[in-house]
């Protein structure tokens, strides 16, 4: 019960902060697209985020997760400060190196990511955001690791407000290309300064510990391919659309992915509370059963939410966006489910991290990423942006299935028949939705309600226990 409350408490509080930081961009999306002349400009802005996410993953090099893991290794404040300081110094060095490389190769990056060397100035902004974002992830970490929920909540509300407060005036004045990248850069710098002040006692240059660095790297380096593979899953499709189709289609896909990634509200809420919960309870009895149940419950929630998005995607697009973006409705459900499958993969694969074996994650995710890229090459020329979304979804489905099977075989995960049944029903629903009623909101909604009733019956005991716990409190 205490473990459940710990997880739910972190899920709700960190989730609220994470959800606010994600929901503001979602709410602003129709406004931003209307302030831009066409989807090309939004495509370039979002491709800048793609560059940043890739560069940041290289700069952090898995150090954030390694730092989190080592922080709870000993209950000694001086030790914890050594971990934080060592992680920051290492990340600062790698971030500067990545920044310099980006500046030196700006022409290549501009041509490959933005389809023209004339966008070199966007690469400059992306390089700065990458430098700040990578180091900020480490500087802000002690706030989470100490479970300071209120600070996290406030900063996650303020950051997007600052960003859009800068971006909108720039868009109104015609700075369509640099508005979003520049506002992101400024807001990230301000947040890094804020966290630097709040967490200054956790970082000291004199506390660089090479022995600890070696231990951190043992955990971090094998994680780097994971983050790069996640980038392939989440971002490579935009690059391939740009090169196989055009930037305009990449812009429509980006808007579709933003709305589809509304599921990141759930994923962000989960991630905010998950790391603290996972590592602070990793040595307790029944850890395998607890982790398996969390996987199962989150899976069912993901299936229900995906069904609702399928039912209402077409209507949402008609209301929120102009005709230019309407065809993006078809990819929203695929890209809504994909981050949730990523969330489920992280829940399951956490078992490898707990036993300090991260290499299975690499092999499993690599297989899914290869499938994703191959399907992109095959499906994008045939199905356009829908092909890219479908490729991403299939890649994650394969990764999740393989991960669960491996963990089940080594007795690090429990798989129940009702989870298998739930997964099969949502798969059948998705196929039926796409083939017969993707624009028929009424029929899709009725079927989703029926599925929800089935899931409620399957998990009625858990729902009763949750209700009883609420009454006890």
């Amino acid at each position: 019960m205490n473990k459940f409350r710990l997880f739910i408490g972190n899920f709700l509080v960190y989730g609220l902060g994470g959800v606010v930081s994600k929901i503001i961009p979602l709410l602003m999306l129709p406004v931003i697209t209307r302030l831009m002349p066409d989807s090309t400009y939004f495509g370039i802005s979002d491709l800048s985020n793609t560059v940043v996410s890739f560069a940041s993953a290289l700069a952090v090099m898995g150090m954030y997760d390694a730092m989190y893991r080592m922080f709870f290794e000993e209950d000694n404040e001086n030790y914890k400060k050594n971990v934080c300081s060592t992680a920051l110094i290492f990340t600062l060095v790698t971030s500067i190196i990545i920044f310099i490389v980006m500046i030196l190769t700006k022409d290549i990056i501009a041509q490959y990511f933005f389809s023209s060397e004339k966008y070199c100035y966007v690469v400059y902004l992306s390089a700065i955001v990458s430098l700040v974002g990578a180091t900020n992830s480490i500087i802000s970490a002690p706030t989470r690791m100490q479970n300071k929920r209120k600070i996290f909540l406030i900063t996650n509300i303020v950051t997007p407000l600052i960003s859009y407060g800068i971006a909108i005036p720039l868009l109104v004045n015609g700075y369509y290309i640099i508005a979003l990248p520049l506002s992101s850069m400024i807001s990230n710098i301000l947040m890094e300064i804020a966290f630097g002040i709040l967490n200054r006692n956790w970082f000291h240059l004199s506390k660089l510990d090479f022995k600890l660095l070696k231990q951190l790297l043992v955990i971090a380096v094998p994680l780097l391919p994971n983050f790069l593979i996640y980038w392939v899953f989440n971002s490579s499709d935009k690059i391939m659309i740009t090169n196989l189709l055009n930037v305009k289609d990449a812009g429509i896909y980006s808007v579709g992915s933003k709305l589809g990634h509304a599921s990141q509200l759930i994923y962000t809420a989960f991630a905010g509370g998950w790391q603290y919960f996972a590592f602070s309870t990793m040595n307790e009895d029944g850890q395998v059963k607890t982790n398996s149940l969390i996987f199962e419950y989150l899976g069912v929630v993901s299936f229900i939410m995906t069904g609702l998005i399928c039912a209402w995607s077409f209507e949402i697009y008609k209301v929120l966006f102009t005709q230019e973006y309407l065809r993006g409705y078809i990819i929203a459900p695929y890209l809504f489910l994909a981050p949730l499958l990523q969330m489920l993969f992280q829940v399951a694969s956490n078992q490898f991290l707990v036993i300090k074996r991260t290499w299975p994650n690499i092999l499993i995710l690599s297989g899914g990423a290869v499938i994703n890229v191959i399907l992109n090459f095959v499906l994008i020329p045939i199905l356009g942006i829908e092909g890219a979304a479908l490729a991403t979804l299939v890649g994650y489905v394969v990764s999740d299935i393989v991960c669960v099977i491996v963990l089940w075989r080594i007795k690090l995960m429990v798989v129940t028949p009702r989870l298998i049944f739930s997964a099969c029903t949502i798969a059948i629903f998705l196929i039926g939705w796409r083939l017969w009623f993707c624009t028929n909101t009424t029929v899709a909604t009725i079927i989703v309600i029926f599925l929800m009733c089935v899931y409620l019956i399957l998990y009625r005991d858990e729902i009763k226990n949750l209700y009883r716990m609420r009454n006890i409190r």
Side-chain angles (χ1 to χ4, degrees):
M1 187 68 73
N2 289 333
K3 289 190 290 183
F4 181 75
R5 288 182 177 177
L6 173 64
F7 178 70
I8 293 298
N10 280 280
F11 188 97
L12 292 176
V13 176
Y14 283 117
L16 180 58
V19 163
V20 170
S21 70
K22 298 290 184 181
I23 203 170
I24 292 176
L26 280 176
L27 295 175
M28 292 302 300
L29 189 58
V31 177
I32 297 298
T33 54
R34 282 175 166 81
L35 289 175
M36 293 179 170
D38 62 61
S39 60
T40 301
Y41 293 100
F42 190 86
I44 293 171
S45 295
D46 198 62
L47 286 165
S48 172
N49 292 331
T50 301
V51 174
V52 170
S53 63
F54 180 76
S56 297
L58 288 178
V60 176
M61 202 179 292
M63 189 56 67
Y64 177 84
D65 286 76
M67 173 187 177
Y68 225 114
R69 173 64 178 82
M70 294 297 295
F71 188 88
F72 293 98
E73 190 73 14
E74 295 183 17
D75 190 18
N76 180 293
E77 186 170 315
N78 187 60
Y79 167 84
K80 294 176 186 292
K81 288 182 178 180
N82 288 346
V83 170
C84 293
S85 301
T86 302
L88 177 61
I89 294 170
F90 175 83
T91 305
L92 181 60
V93 172
T94 55
S95 299
I96 292 173
I97 293 172
I98 295 298
F99 173 80
I100 294 172
V101 171
M102 290 180 70
I103 298 301
L104 294 177
T105 60
K106 61 184 183 301
D107 293 334
I108 298 174
I109 294 174
Q111 179 63 50
Y112 184 70
F113 283 85
F114 306 120
S115 76
S116 175
E117 294 180 4
K118 67 180 181 180
Y119 297 120
C120 286
Y121 60 94
V122 181
V123 179
Y124 287 125
L125 293 175
S126 302
I128 297 172
V129 175
S130 301
L131 173 62
V132 175
T135 52
N136 192 29
S137 67
I138 303 297
I139 291 174
S140 63
T143 299
R144 281 194 178 186
M145 292 189 292
Q146 295 175 90
N147 219 17
K148 292 184 176 180
R149 302 173 179 180
K150 291 182 180 179
I151 295 175
F152 179 83
L153 180 61
I154 292 170
T155 55
N156 275 268
I157 293 173
V158 171
T159 302
L161 291 177
I162 293 174
S163 181
Y164 284 100
I166 297 169
I168 291 177
L170 289 172
L171 288 170
V172 170
N173 285 280
Y175 296 98
Y176 305 119
I177 293 178
I178 68 168
L180 294 179
L182 181 61
S183 62
S184 176
M185 181 191 77
I186 295 173
S187 61
N188 272 277
I189 290 173
L190 292 175
M191 284 301 103
E192 179 153 34
I193 293 172
F195 277 116
I197 294 171
L198 290 171
N199 296 326
R200 62 188 181 278
N201 293 329
W202 289 93
F203 302 101
H204 302 276
L205 292 177
S206 60
K207 289 186 176 293
L208 172 63
D209 188 324
F210 285 99
K211 183 178 179 181
L212 268 180
L213 178 59
K214 182 179 179 181
Q215 295 175 26
L216 286 166
L217 289 175
V218 167
I219 299 174
V221 172
L223 290 175
L224 175 60
N226 283 8
F227 291 109
L228 295 179
I229 293 168
Y230 280 134
W231 181 86
V232 170
F233 273 116
N234 298 326
S235 301
S236 66
D237 44 8
K238 299 171 190 176
I239 308 302
M240 297 180 75
I241 289 171
T242 299
N243 288 277
L244 293 174
L245 301 176
N246 52 62
V247 178
K248 191 178 183 71
D249 281 322
I252 295 173
Y253 184 86
S254 296
V255 170
S257 68
K258 296 296 182 188
L259 188 61
H261 285 179
S263 62
Q264 287 190 343
L265 301 181
I266 301 173
Y267 173 79
T268 302
F270 154 78
W274 172 247
Q275 279 187 313
Y276 181 85
F277 173 84
F279 292 129
S280 62
T281 62
M282 63 184 179
N283 295 319
E284 296 186 7
D285 295 334
Q287 189 271 342
V288 170
K289 182 179 179 180
T290 299
N291 201 76
S292 300
L293 286 174
I294 290 173
F295 179 91
E296 184 170 339
Y297 297 155
L298 289 175
V300 173
V301 171
S302 301
F303 301 154
I304 292 172
M305 296 301 295
T306 300
L308 291 172
I309 289 295
C310 285
W312 286 91
S313 177
F314 184 70
E315 293 298 327
I316 290 172
Y317 263 80
K318 283 177 63 178
V319 172
L320 295 182
F321 302 106
T322 61
Q323 188 67 29
E324 179 184 13
Y325 294 96
L326 182 59
R327 63 189 174 96
Y329 85 91
I330 200 70
I331 69 173
Y334 302 139
L335 298 180
F336 183 90
L337 181 55
L340 297 178
L341 294 179
Q342 177 183 343
M343 172 184 71
L344 293 176
F345 182 86
Q346 290 184 354
V347 174
S349 64
N350 180 74
Q351 296 299 83
F352 295 122
L353 190 57
V354 167
I355 62 175
K356 297 184 179 180
R357 294 180 183 176
T358 54
W359 60 266
N361 294 9
I362 301 173
L363 294 179
I364 296 170
L365 275 179
S366 295
V370 169
I371 291 173
N372 182 14
V373 172
I374 292 173
L375 288 178
N376 272 331
F377 276 115
V378 174
L379 296 179
I380 289 176
I382 300 173
L383 301 176
I385 61 175
E386 184 182 3
L390 184 59
T392 299
L393 181 60
V394 171
Y396 271 124
V397 168
V398 172
S399 296
D400 277 23
I401 291 175
V402 173
C403 183
V404 168
I405 291 174
V406 171
L407 288 170
W408 173 72
R409 289 182 64 87
I410 61 177
K411 302 186 185 303
L412 286 177
M413 189 167 185
V414 178
V415 181
T416 64
R418 63 182 180 177
L419 173 61
I420 297 173
F421 174 81
S422 299
C424 290
T425 55
I426 194 63
I428 294 171
F429 170 80
L430 281 170
I431 294 171
W433 170 81
R434 181 59 185 90
L435 293 178
W436 297 300
F437 46 87
C438 57
T439 59
N440 193 326
T441 303
T442 302
V443 172
T445 302
I446 292 172
I447 296 175
V448 170
I449 291 173
F450 174 76
L451 283 179
M452 290 174 64
C453 292
V454 172
Y455 292 148
L456 287 174
I457 293 172
L458 285 174
Y459 292 90
R460 59 187 179 277
D461 292 337
E462 283 81 358
I463 295 171
K464 289 178 182 178
N465 290 335
L466 184 61
Y467 181 76
R468 288 171 188 155
M469 188 189 78
R470 178 188 174 191
N471 289 337
I472 291 174
R473 293 183 66 184

